[in-house]
Amino acid sequence: MPPSIEPTAAVNALETSATYGAGVADLFSDYPFGRAWDEMFSSSGVTRPAYDAVVAAVQSLDADELRARAEGLARSFLDRGVTFDVGGVESPFPTDLIPRIIEAAEWEVVARGVAQRVRALEAFLTDVYGDRRVVEDGVVPHRVLITSKYFERHAYGIEPPNGVRIHVAGIDLIRDEQGKFRVLEDNVRIPSGVSYVLENRRATMQALPELFSGVRARTVSDYPAKLLQALRKAAPRGVTDPTIVLLTPGSYNAAYFEHTLLARTMGVELVEGRDLVCSNNTVRMRTTSGERRVDVIYRRVDDAFLDPVHFIPNSVLGCPGLLTAARAGNVTIANAVGNGVADDKLLYTYVPDFVRYYLNEEPLIDNVDTFRLEEAEHLAEVIDRLDELVLKPVDGSGGKGIVIGPQAGRDELDELRVKILADPRGWIAQQVVHLSTVPTVIGDKIAPRHVDLRPFAVNDGDDVWVLPGGLTRVALPEGSLVVNSSQGGGSKDTLVLDAPRSYPAFAASADGADLDRPVEDVADTRMAAQVTMRSPDPGPMAMQDQQQQQQ
């Protein structure tokens, strides 16, 4: 929105009241407008057509009922154990009552752009752990690859059975001040958060049923079945009925709720490293009826903790020999070991070139403008503009280590300058982007809060399927641009609108019979044989060391 256009709250409230009545006017009476693109309101304060049903759903709510519904939604998350670890405290995952809406035509561009990016990253990973044509042809310097913290030499030469290394991807998008989607970063190691997409839909439908009587949206409940299909197709050659397990670090992990939900909805066994044994280049799990061969491991454990033979030698979160079994072609690890090199934020700056190089296409979604500080010219400019830019460590995750220049003090910037000059390869800088805002319930009022979007893509080797909507993360403190859950952010349900005959959709009915299926019903929830012979619990400290997966 142009900075010169700032509609007053009074004008906006008057227009809203004329259409919908006093209730909604009161809720939006103090709604401010600033530089950021607002998803619900145009620059003149008029409701965007996609949000008509949202406004209609809240028009009869007064402040007390709004607060009561928001509190009821939070209680439902606590009752179902939908929690997240923040600073060592297990808390219900904050989810806002008002959903984000994305129109069908706009989503088509997003979905195609995300799928394109995943295909390019897949080709890059195949190349970087193989022939490295991308280096020989001068697309990316060799030093950039080998100095990446997440480049794993142990992964060189491992060929996945169906050629897929990125079975699941989470591509973080933001919408800039002009309303244009841009890629903020890529997550192709162990992207987290899809369980909250499923739970947000269930909770929002219960807390705001009025909305779903007037809108048709694409379902999100297909995700577990799509993931299971991709994992089955990734089985070692010759295996037609694979045994699949989900490998978790354990109950101390911040995303343990997600691990249990996905295992349950896919109907696969949830295991820890101590439940697996590896010998003769095969992996087996211990069960009450003896050891059973494992063909596919959907791992939620970082590379460094996955196999003590090749990585951290005292790790108890993985299993000795996993990587050797994968190299022998007897087990598939999803996502593949070594994918983190594609998550490196310096490599992020080269992804548009990867799209052109590997796919011979132009990127459908642009990156955020980024400085490569390992280049002298960029470094000199950034050092002079630290108070104007966002600085990010290239190997960071979960929002850790980010410094937002305009919000930082002089001492913090001086300390940052020393760190950057000592290790330019370890940082990138980006222009400050005022992430788009969506109305969010704050107490008994509605106020704008900044959001991003993490669409999840599943690659089965034949197709890259993008979950409609994905996870909208919300920066809950006023003015904050940090949306990460690990930094206290929340989330919203994300509805992708659609015509009834185009895609599977749902619509609310009087008895709820046509509502989106609960996640428990997505797949057969029967488990494999019970895992036994548990070794002592590794304890919370080992789990805290393994939080890098929360990207």
Side-chain angles (χ1 to χ4, degrees):
M1 181 177 73
S4 60
I5 302 178
E6 296 186 1
T8 64
V11 171
N12 184 56
L14 182 63
E15 292 177 350
T16 306
S17 179
T19 306
Y20 296 109
V24 74
D26 293 339
L27 294 176
F28 287 97
S29 60
D30 297 322
Y31 195 84
F33 291 82
R35 291 182 59 187
W37 173 278
D38 193 85
E39 307 258 346
M40 182 181 283
F41 297 108
S42 70
S43 59
S44 58
V46 177
T47 304
R48 301 188 192 278
Y51 279 87
D52 285 344
V54 175
V55 174
V58 300
Q59 64 175 319
S60 61
L61 303 181
D62 58 24
D64 290 339
E65 187 170 2
L66 180 76
R67 183 171 55 252
R69 295 214 187 178
E71 292 173 352
L73 189 154
R75 282 195 304 272
S76 74
F77 268 44
L78 186 61
D79 292 343
R80 289 174 60 85
V82 187
T83 59
F84 196 90
D85 183 279
V86 180
V89 178
E90 200 75 12
S91 305
F93 190 70
T95 297
D96 186 59
L97 181 67
I98 300 176
R100 180 188 200 167
I101 308 295
I102 301 177
E103 295 189 271
E106 190 169 45
W107 177 252
E108 290 304 316
V109 177
V110 170
R112 287 191 294 115
V114 168
Q116 178 193 59
R117 199 167 179 103
V118 171
R119 288 195 300 271
L121 289 170
E122 186 75 69
F124 166 71
L125 288 169
T126 298
D127 191 13
V128 77
Y129 290 115
D131 296 335
R132 296 190 190 173
R133 292 182 297 108
V134 70
V135 172
E136 292 181 5
D137 291 342
V139 179
V140 61
H142 184 253
R143 69 178 185 279
V144 171
L145 296 179
I146 63 173
T147 56
S148 172
K149 176 181 177 180
Y150 298 114
F151 175 72
E152 298 292 355
R153 290 172 175 81
H154 298 295
Y156 184 79
I158 296 179
E159 298 183 4
N162 66 339
V164 175
R165 286 173 168 79
I166 306 172
H167 303 81
V168 180
I171 308 298
D172 291 349
L173 309 178
I174 57 94
R175 198 196 287 264
D176 64 18
E177 294 89 343
Q178 288 72 46
K180 181 181 179 181
F181 277 110
R182 291 178 177 267
V183 178
L184 188 63
E185 63 181 57
D186 305 292
N187 300 286
V188 296
R189 280 179 290 163
I190 316 172
S192 180
V194 74
S195 60
Y196 305 122
V197 177
L198 303 175
E199 286 293 321
N200 284 351
R201 178 60 51 84
R202 178 201 59 79
T204 304
M205 292 176 71
Q206 291 181 354
L208 200 64
E210 301 92 335
L211 171 63
F212 295 92
S213 64
V215 67
R216 295 187 65 87
R218 302 187 194 182
T219 183
V220 297
S221 62
D222 291 339
Y223 181 87
K226 290 287 188 179
L227 176 57
L228 181 62
Q229 174 186 333
L231 296 175
R232 289 181 61 85
K233 293 179 71 171
R237 295 174 181 86
V239 178
T240 57
D241 187 18
T243 295
I244 301 169
V245 299
L246 191 155
L247 176 62
T248 176
S251 59
Y252 289 101
N253 187 264
Y256 186 67
F257 169 79
E258 175 158 306
H259 305 166
T260 60
L261 184 144
L262 290 176
R264 185 174 74 248
T265 54
M266 288 192 294
V268 305
E269 185 61 78
L270 182 69
V271 302
E272 298 180 26
R274 58 197 176 187
D275 302 319
L276 302 177
V277 293
C278 186
S279 61
N280 298 323
N281 290 342
T282 61
V283 180
R284 297 180 301 280
M285 66 175 169
R286 299 181 175 102
T287 74
T288 54
S289 58
E291 293 182 353
R292 180 180 178 185
R293 178 167 171 168
V294 173
D295 304 299
V296 180
I297 300 174
Y298 176 41
R299 53 78 173 247
R300 300 299 297 261
V301 174
D302 267 4
D303 288 355
F305 297 86
L306 192 60
D307 186 340
V309 173
H310 298 280
F311 303 111
I312 296 178
N314 62 349
S315 171
V316 296
L317 302 182
C319 174
L322 287 187
L323 200 60
T324 303
R327 186 179 298 280
N330 295 328
V331 70
T332 299
I333 300 173
N335 284 348
V337 172
N339 278 13
V341 67
D343 282 358
D344 185 302
K345 292 180 176 60
L346 180 56
L347 267 298
Y348 152 90
T349 66
Y350 292 91
V351 177
D353 296 326
F354 297 162
V355 172
R356 300 181 185 99
Y357 178 70
Y358 292 112
L359 307 182
N360 196 27
E361 299 172 357
E362 283 299 310
L364 296 174
I365 307 178
D366 293 331
N367 281 8
V368 173
D369 294 338
T370 304
F371 295 91
R372 299 170 180 163
L373 301 194
E374 64 145 11
E375 298 181 7
E377 183 179 351
H378 285 193
L379 177 62
E381 179 177 352
V382 168
I383 287 297
D384 288 339
R385 298 178 55 203
L386 288 181
D387 60 342
E388 302 174 11
L389 303 170
V390 176
L391 285 302
K392 297 180 178 181
V394 298
D395 58 357
S397 64
K400 296 178 181 178
I402 293 177
V403 178
I404 300 176
Q407 299 176 5
R410 177 173 297 179
D411 290 345
E412 185 178 6
L413 292 177
D414 288 344
E415 182 180 347
L416 176 64
R417 182 177 292 106
V418 172
K419 290 180 180 179
I420 291 174
L421 291 174
D423 179 25
R425 167 63 175 83
W427 296 84
I428 60 167
Q430 294 177 330
Q431 301 287 351
V432 175
V433 179
H434 291 272
L435 282 62
S436 63
T437 56
V438 178
T440 302
V441 178
I442 306 295
D444 56 2
K445 289 286 187 178
I446 295 176
R449 288 296 185 264
H450 295 288
V451 297
D452 76 350
L453 178 66
R454 175 174 289 184
F456 290 89
V458 177
N459 183 7
D460 65 8
D462 297 318
D463 180 52
V464 177
W465 175 80
V466 182
L467 174 67
L471 179 65
T472 289
R473 300 183 296 182
V474 187
L476 294 175
E478 184 176 1
S480 174
L481 297 174
V482 181
V483 300
N484 303 82
S485 306
S486 56
Q487 303 296 307
S491 71
K492 289 175 174 285
D493 190 12
T494 308
L495 303 182
V496 175
L497 303 185
D498 201 80
R501 286 181 290 181
S502 298
Y503 289 87
F506 62 85
S509 62
D511 61 1
D514 295 327
L515 296 181
D516 207 17
R517 292 173 295 162
V519 293
E520 291 88 343
D521 298 335
V522 172
D524 186 353
T525 59
R526 292 174 298 173
M527 294 296 184
Q530 285 293 103
V531 175
T532 58
M533 300 178 63
R534 303 250 176 206
S535 57
D537 197 303
M541 293 307 296
M543 303 305 177
Q544 292 172 8
D545 289 340
Q546 207 276 136
Q547 294 304 314
Q548 284 298 323
Q549 71 164 304
Q550 303 311 317
Q551 300 176 48

